[in-house]
RNA sequence: GGGCGCUUAGCUCAGCUGGUUUAGAGCGUCUGCCUUACAAGCAGAGGGUCUGCGGUUCGAAUCCGUAAGCGCCCACCA
């Protein structure tokens, strides 16, 4: 075995072994189920650091579940990602000189499927490098047959329930993707623009009303000017009509309190077709609505001017023209928030269009309480507020998208108007015949709605549709695996996905979709910047794995990833992970390199094994508790310290046989069982190295795996021995300190004097002697004249020194310590001399203070004595 | 504009119902070591009064109020 651990071949080997033996596969049985469904990544995406974090956490939870008696099932899959994928396909076609509009729907979909087959699943392959223990046999895709049929069935069901409707509404229009978006898909960003003051001539007068606007290019759509009836400054305009500049159209001045008196000039131009608020005014006052934009953001025929020009080019041009015409009063810098498309990053155009909507009132209602009452638990819980606020202010969900890549809306339009909704064309025809009374209708007469459904309309069914709960309700699998146990996802999709899954869960299963939601943070670079392609600050996860090993990277991710907090990722964390792997590796080399004899177990080893057994039990308990609280980084840190500090630095040093000597069988075997337990505790965090070492720790049979080994129970820890050894460790450290400070070589043996009646046990004496290389430990009443001393607890220890000690330095140390102790005592006395403290505080608290007082006093006495002894 | 959260050692963070020897961890730093498992290591050390102010209490990093800074979410006034 090499002294450096090389993960590469080892990781590949064991992943294949796990696959070959189907260890990841789950079938319903008598055990308690533990289920996770993966947040499906985009089918054509590649792995980034966010996925790494998210999937590492899921894998840790799943692996831990397997080792604690659960039947664990982690279902993987991918998302068709309607807009993102369609945009990629359109882009690729454009490279080949093909326009989407030149293709039929069928031709386009063929290209899209080709693209999906080519790039699809890369990300799932990458997850294997990470060690993800997904049940690959169950891999799903939001657009595969089963999931598609589920989506269509749910759409029809909701339509039949009257929850889905079709109508013309103001929606968020993405002029690049040429589709409507839901409110959640719009991100507002600060935009530095200008505020333009335009002159609207008052009809029949030689006066102008000034309107401030950020969007002068929309004046062609103006159908009114609005003032606040209570604004004296604009009162002179009441009942008048004004002329839209350049356009020449005469529009009325209307009055509404909506207008902010303080803002701009107090006059608002009203463009009902291109602004949400103006739309409301338009409805209220029955204003005409002129849609001046084409779908792609260029000016339409209806605009009359600038036809065909892009909306932003038009803005520049119209400002010049207005200025030339003397109709631009002034312009000033102005910062406002502009909505951008989450996917294509172009400014959203509010647009009136015919879309499909899902009513949210009922669904929001059934989804709120379970979270507020902690039936579904959020980690961290602070996201309950966010969730509540969203549900209480929810608007209907625009679910139609003017895209081809997705689930096509199952609505069929009839030749003579109207439509039917049905799961298939055939069923639609039946309905159509019934509805129209026309028995001669054929499938060819029906025209299916060309639009697709929002991607999230399939994602929200994921925990159900993966177990076929929509198409085959109450089947064995859905009954067993649903509700799933944990959901691990980012808080950025709490509305998109989490909330909607909860709605669907209660609507279709009558039960929560998951019991716990663990919100991960966002992975940022060490400077706190979001990782992005343009910044180039996002490491390639696969390269990281090549460099540090999957186990090292997993540990790097987990070392600073408390739930809900952003993690500042730094490669040095992976380095720490790799170093830990190396440490484990070398401990294994040490232990397995020992010769074993049948000699009796030495006393120091008897103490060490009893102690470590207790500490192992204690830490295992802490880890179990931390897992129930989803404090995974803390759980990892607890095992890390147990392995490195306690097992490796203390325990192994305690039991280590002298160089060249064998170890007794009892201690050896005990040590192997400790190692076995440590590997099992570590396995969820670092699956590969633990499998490798576990396989070599004992003779294992073919088909055995640490993955399915059970953690078992460690019993109640013996706190007494843990405390005793803590004391011994402090004594050993005290002696080591003396060596360090006085440059005494490790090889030189020292004597340790104990100023106490209570002697160490024979076992303890051996341990201290061994680890601090002593010639003897003796109880004395008075320490040697030339000695260095230290105090542990209330006992003073001294090491006689041959050489003359530096009296001054010794005194300085003692006096510093004395000063500290006296300060401490003063603090205690202040409390104890406070009558109200003694009266009001709990008795055990007072007793504790008394103990502190006594201890401090005895330490002070010892120190004073030492100082006096040195002083003469 | 509304809401939520954060501010503890150089960095990243714990600190649950106020009292567990005048605040803990990991990393980094400093010192001494190539000691025959590991220099990707070993041994040891230093470092903060818990953002400021006020209050409640016998007692506050912990509870309340307030100011400042930072972050997130929602709304979106042209």
């Amino acid at each position: 075995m090499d002294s450096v651990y090389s993960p590469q071949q080892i990781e590949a080997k064991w992943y294949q072994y796990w696959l070959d033996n189907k260890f990841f596969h789950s079938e319903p049985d008598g055990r308690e189920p533990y289920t996770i469904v993966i947040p499906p990544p985009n089918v054509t995406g590649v792995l980034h650091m966010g996925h790494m974090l998210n999937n590492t956490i899921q894998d840790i939870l799943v692996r831990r579940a397997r080792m604690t008696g659960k039947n664990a099932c982690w279902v993987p899959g991918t998302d068709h990602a309607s807009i993102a994928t369609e945009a990629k396909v359109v882009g690729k076609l454009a490279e080949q000189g093909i326009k989407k509009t030149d293709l039929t729907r069928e031709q386009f979909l063929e290209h899209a499927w080709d693209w999906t087959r080519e790039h699809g699943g890369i990300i799932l392959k990458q997850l294997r490098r990470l060690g993800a223990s997904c049940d690959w046999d169950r891999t799903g895709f939001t657009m595969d047959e089963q999931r598609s049929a589920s989506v269509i069935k749910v759409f029809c069901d909701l339509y039949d329930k009257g929850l889905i409707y079709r109508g013309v509404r103001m929606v968020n229009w993405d002029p690049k993707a040429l589709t409507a978006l839901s409110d959640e898909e719009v991100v507002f960003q600060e935009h530095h623009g200008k505020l333009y003051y335009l002159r609207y001539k008052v009809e029949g007068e030689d006066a102008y009303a000034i309107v401030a606007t950020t969007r002068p290019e929309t004046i062609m759509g103006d159908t009114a000017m609005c003032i606040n009836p209570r604004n004296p400054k604009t009162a002179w305009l009441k009942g008048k009509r004004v002329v839209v500049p350049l356009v020449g159209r005469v529009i009325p001045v209307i009055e509404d309190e909506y207008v902010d008196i303080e803002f701009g000039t107090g006059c608002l131009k009203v463009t009902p077709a291109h602004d949400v608020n103006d739309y409301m005014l338009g409805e209220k006052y029955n204003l005409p609505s002129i849609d001046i934009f084409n779908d792609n953001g260029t000016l339409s025929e209806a605009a009359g001017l600038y036809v065909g020009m892009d909306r932003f080019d038009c803005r520049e041009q119209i400002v010049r023209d207005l200025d030339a015409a003397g109709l631009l009063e002034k312009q000033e810098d102005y910062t406002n928030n502009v909505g951008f498309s989450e996917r294509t990053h172009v400014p959203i155009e509010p647009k009136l269009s015919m879309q499909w909507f899902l009513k949210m009132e009922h669904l929001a209602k059934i989804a709120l309480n379970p979270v507020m009452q902690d039936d579904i638990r959020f980690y961290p819980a602070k996201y309950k507020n966010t969730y509540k606020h969203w549900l209480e202010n929810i608007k209907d969900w625009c679910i139609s998208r003017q895209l081809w890549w997705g689930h096509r809306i199952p609505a069929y339009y009839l030749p003579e108007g109207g439509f039917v909704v049905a799961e298939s064309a055939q069923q639609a025809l039946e309905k159509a015949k019934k509805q129209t009374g026309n028995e001669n209708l054929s499938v060819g007469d029906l025209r299916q709605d060309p639009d697709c459904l929002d991607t999230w309309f399939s994602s929200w069914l994921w925990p159900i549709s993966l177990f076929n709960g929509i198409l085959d309700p109450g089947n064995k699998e859905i009954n067993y695996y649903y509700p799933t146990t944990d959901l691990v996802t980012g808080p950025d999709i709490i509305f998109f996905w989490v909330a909607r899954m909860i709605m669907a869960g209660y609507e279709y299963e009558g039960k929560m979709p998951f019991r716990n939601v663990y919100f991960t943070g966002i992975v940022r670079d060490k400077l706190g910047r979001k990782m992005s392609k343009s910044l180039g600050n996002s490491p390639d996860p696969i390269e990281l794995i090549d460099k540090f090993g999957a186990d090292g990277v997993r540990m790097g991710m987990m070392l600073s990833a408390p739930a809900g907090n952003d993690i500042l990722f730094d490669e040095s964390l992976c380095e720490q992970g790799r170093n830990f792997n190396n440490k484990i590796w070398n401990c294994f080399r040490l232990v397995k390199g020992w010769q074993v004899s049948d000699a009796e177990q030495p006393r120091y080893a008897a103490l060490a094994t009893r102690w470590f057994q207790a500490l192992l039990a204690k830490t295992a308990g802490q880890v179990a508790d931390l897992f129930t609280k989803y404090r995974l980084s803390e759980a990892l840190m607890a095992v890390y310290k147990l392995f490195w500090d306690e097992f490796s630095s203390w325990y192994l040093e305690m039991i280590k046989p002298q160089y060249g000597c064998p170890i007794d069988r009892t201690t050896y075997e005990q040590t192997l069982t400790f190692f076995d337990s440590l590997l099992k505790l570590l396995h969820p965090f670092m699956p590969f190295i633990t499998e490798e070492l576990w396989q070599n720790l004992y003779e294992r049979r073919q088909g055995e795996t640490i993955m399915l080994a059970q953690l078992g129970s460690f019993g109640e820890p013996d706190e007494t021995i843990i405390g005793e050894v803590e004391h011994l460790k402090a004594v050993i450290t005290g002696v080591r300190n003396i060596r360090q400070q006085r440059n005494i070589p490790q090889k030189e043996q020292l004597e340790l004097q104990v100023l106490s009646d209570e002697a160490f046990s024979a076992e303890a004496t051996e341990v201290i002697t061994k680890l601090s290389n002593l010639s003897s430990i003796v109880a004395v009443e008075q320490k040697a004249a030339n000695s260095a001393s230290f105090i542990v607890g209330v006992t003073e220890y001294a090491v006689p020194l041959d050489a003359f000690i530096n009296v001054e330095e010794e005194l300085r140390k003692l006096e510093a310590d004395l000063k500290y102790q006296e300060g401490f005592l003063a603090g205690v006395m202040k409390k104890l001399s406070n009558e109200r403290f003694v009266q009001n505080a709990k008795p055990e608290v007072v007793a504790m203070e008394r103990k502190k007082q006594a201890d401090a006093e005895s330490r002070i006495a010892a120190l004073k004595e030492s100082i006096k002894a040195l002083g003469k």
Side-chain angles (χ1 to χ4, degrees), chain A residues 78-127:
Chain A
T78 47
D79 191 287
H80 66 284
S82 195
I83 296 187
T85 307
E86 179 146 336
K88 279 182 194 166
V89 175
V90 168
K92 188 202 157 206
L93 289 172
E95 278 172 28
Q96 302 169 358
I98 306 171
K99 279 192 279 183
K100 183 185 165 191
T101 45
D102 294 343
L103 300 175
T104 64
R105 184 183 191 110
E106 286 66 34
Q107 287 170 327
F108 178 83
L109 286 177
E110 217 164 284
H111 283 289
W113 278 109
D114 284 347
W115 173 269
T116 301
R117 275 186 285 267
E118 194 180 327
H119 298 268
I122 290 178
I123 194 162
L124 298 184
K125 289 265 156 40
Q126 291 180 311
L127 279 180

Side-chain angles (χ1 to χ4, degrees), chain A residues 90 379 509 612 706 800-801 804:
Chain A
V90 168
Y379 297 87
E509 286 297 320
F612 195 76
I706 189 173
L801 299 170
F804 287 108

Side-chain angles (χ1 to χ4, degrees), chain A residues 199 208 320-329:
Chain A
R199 308 175 73 172
Y208 289 92
R320 281 195 291 271
D321 294 346
L322 283 163
D323 198 20
L327 295 169
L328 180 66
E329 178 90 357

Side-chain angles (χ1 to χ4, degrees), chain A residues 93-356:
Chain A
L93 289 172
E95 278 172 28
Q96 302 169 358
I98 306 171
K99 279 192 279 183
K100 183 185 165 191
T101 45
D102 294 343
L103 300 175
T104 64
R105 184 183 191 110
E106 286 66 34
Q107 287 170 327
F108 178 83
L109 286 177
E110 217 164 284
H111 283 289
W113 278 109
D114 284 347
W115 173 269
T116 301
R117 275 186 285 267
E118 194 180 327
H119 298 268
I122 290 178
I123 194 162
L124 298 184
K125 289 265 156 40
Q126 291 180 311
L127 279 180
R128 299 174 187 217
R129 286 292 309 278
L130 181 66
S133 58
C134 304
D135 186 349
W136 300 109
D137 297 342
R138 296 177 175 274
T139 304
F141 175 46
T142 52
M143 237 169 86
D144 62 21
E145 224 174 287
Q146 184 177 314
R147 262 53 69 173
S148 297
S150 302
V151 166
I152 298 307
K153 187 175 174 190
V154 163
F155 181 96
C156 295
D157 178 65
L158 291 170
Y159 178 79
D160 291 342
K161 285 174 179 163
L163 292 175
I164 283 178
Y165 63 94
R166 184 170 182 256
V168 175
R169 296 286 186 284
M170 183 67 85
V171 297
N172 309 295
W173 185 260
D174 179 333
K176 188 173 177 197
L178 302 177
T179 178
L181 300 176
S182 68
D183 294 344
E184 287 69 35
E185 286 166 295
V186 179
V187 285
F188 285 89
Q189 278 167 23
E190 227 177 49
H191 177 258
H192 300 286
K194 298 238 190 278
L195 192 58
Y196 303 93
Y197 290 76
L198 312 187
R199 308 175 73 172
Y200 285 60
K201 188 174 183 303
V202 180
E203 192 189 29
E205 288 180 34
D206 195 21
Y208 289 92
I210 312 297
V211 168
T213 178
T214 54
R215 300 202 62 190
E217 73 277 16
T218 62
I219 58 173
M220 282 81 79
D222 286 358
T223 53
M225 176 183 283
C226 191
I227 57 172
N228 190 315
R230 292 183 305 156
N231 186 356
K233 281 191 282 184
T234 54
W236 64 280
L237 285 165
K238 283 186 184 179
K240 299 194 174 154
R241 310 203 316 156
V242 294
V243 182
V244 180
L246 297 182
V247 181
R249 183 167 53 242
V250 179
I251 55 173
V253 173
I254 60 172
E255 297 169 41
D256 194 281
E257 304 235 328
Y258 164 75
V259 178
D260 185 348
I261 295 175
E262 303 300 319
F263 188 88
T265 59
C267 298
L268 173 72
K269 68 193 261 322
V270 183
T271 320
H274 300 293
D275 183 279
V276 183
N277 296 302
D278 293 9
Y279 173 68
M280 286 169 356
L281 287 173
E283 293 271 279
K284 194 166 167 186
Y285 297 100
N286 230 338
L287 299 170
S289 172
I290 307 171
D291 185 349
I292 62 159
F293 290 122
N294 293 312
D295 287 352
N296 64 1
T298 57
L299 278 285
S300 70
E301 294 289 338
L305 299 167
Y306 310 102
V307 175
M309 195 181 275
D310 178 78
R311 51 188 172 151
F312 297 113
D313 297 338
C314 177
R315 181 179 302 172
E316 289 178 22
Q317 187 58 46
I318 203 167
V319 168
R320 281 195 291 271
D321 294 346
L322 283 163
D323 198 20
L327 295 169
L328 180 66
E329 178 90 357
K330 60 172 175 174
Q331 51 179 298
E332 51 191 37
D333 289 336
Y334 187 69
T335 302
N336 65 339
N337 283 332
V338 176
F340 287 77
S341 163
E342 194 211 18
R343 279 290 148 215
T344 63
H345 311 292
V346 298
I348 288 300
E349 197 59 59
K351 188 179 167 68
L352 269 179
S353 65
M354 178 69 89
Q355 302 289 344
W356 292 88

Side-chain angles (χ1 to χ4, degrees), chain A residues 13 42 150 212 377 594 760:
Chain A
K13 175 181 70 180
N42 289 2
S150 302
R377 282 180 190 274
W594 283 330
F760 284 117

Side-chain angles (χ1 to χ4, degrees), chain A residues 38 105-106 165 173 263 351 362 397 406 456 542 638 643 717 740 758-759:
Chain A
I38 202 169
R105 184 183 191 110
E106 286 66 34
Y165 63 94
W173 185 260
F263 188 88
K351 188 179 167 68
H362 157 72
W397 176 11
W456 300 101
I542 299 302
F643 194 98
Q740 169 96 1
E758 273 182 61

Side-chain angles (χ1 to χ4, degrees), chain A residues 8 37 49 102 114 125 137 215 319 322 368 378 492 560 703 765 775 859 867:
Chain A
Q8 282 72 25
V37 294
M49 296 308 287
D102 294 343
D114 284 347
K125 289 265 156 40
D137 297 342
R215 300 202 62 190
V319 168
L322 283 163
L368 180 59
F378 280 8
D492 50 332
S560 69
T765 302
S775 52
R859 282 194 298 262
I867 289 168

Side-chain angles (χ1 to χ4, degrees), chain A residues 275-500:
Chain A
D275 183 279
V276 183
N277 296 302
D278 293 9
Y279 173 68
M280 286 169 356
L281 287 173
E283 293 271 279
K284 194 166 167 186
Y285 297 100
N286 230 338
L287 299 170
S289 172
I290 307 171
D291 185 349
I292 62 159
F293 290 122
N294 293 312
D295 287 352
N296 64 1
T298 57
L299 278 285
S300 70
E301 294 289 338
L305 299 167
Y306 310 102
V307 175
M309 195 181 275
D310 178 78
R311 51 188 172 151
F312 297 113
D313 297 338
C314 177
R315 181 179 302 172
E316 289 178 22
Q317 187 58 46
I318 203 167
V319 168
R320 281 195 291 271
D321 294 346
L322 283 163
D323 198 20
L327 295 169
L328 180 66
E329 178 90 357
K330 60 172 175 174
Q331 51 179 298
E332 51 191 37
D333 289 336
Y334 187 69
T335 302
N336 65 339
N337 283 332
V338 176
F340 287 77
S341 163
E342 194 211 18
R343 279 290 148 215
T344 63
H345 311 292
V346 298
I348 288 300
E349 197 59 59
K351 188 179 167 68
L352 269 179
S353 65
M354 178 69 89
Q355 302 289 344
W356 292 88
F357 294 88
L358 175 57
K359 289 185 191 172
M360 296 306 272
E361 198 188 339
H362 157 72
L363 293 166
K365 210 170 150 192
I366 59 176
L368 180 59
N369 281 344
V371 171
M372 298 322 288
Q373 296 164 2
D374 286 331
D375 295 342
I376 299 171
R377 282 180 190 274
F378 280 8
Y379 297 87
K382 66 176 175 184
Y383 289 111
K384 283 164 70 179
N385 291 325
T386 314
Y387 181 81
K388 180 168 183 240
H389 184 261
W390 185 72
L391 283 183
E392 288 178 344
N393 295 282
I394 198 163
K395 294 197 205 114
D396 287 353
W397 176 11
C398 174
I399 52 174
S400 47
R401 296 290 179 277
Q402 286 63 52
L403 300 168
W404 284 343
W405 180 245
H407 306 96
R408 191 167 177 181
I409 291 177
Y412 298 81
Y413 299 98
L414 312 176
E416 44 299 294
F419 63 87
V420 293
V421 167
E423 285 179 48
S424 69
Q426 202 52 49
Q427 288 175 33
L429 182 62
E430 297 306 315
K431 281 193 174 177
K433 282 179 182 170
K434 209 178 278 175
Q435 191 171 313
T436 58
N438 179 356
E439 280 300 319
N440 297 324
L441 278 178
S442 72
V443 169
D445 296 327
L446 302 179
R447 191 176 50 82
Q448 186 176 357
D449 193 300
D451 289 353
C452 279
L453 288 162
D454 181 5
T455 297
W456 300 101
F457 194 87
S458 55
S459 319
W460 77 325
L461 304 176
W462 193 238
I464 305 173
S465 63
L466 278 177
F467 301 109
N468 210 18
I470 298 290
L471 303 179
D472 184 10
N475 75 69
K476 186 175 157 200
E477 298 236 318
I478 190 91
N479 283 349
Y480 184 73
Y481 292 114
Y482 190 99
T484 69
T485 316
D486 295 332
L487 175 77
V488 181
T489 191
D492 50 332
I493 52 175
I494 187 168
F495 310 135
F496 279 116
W497 196 42
V498 179
R500 289 171 181 161

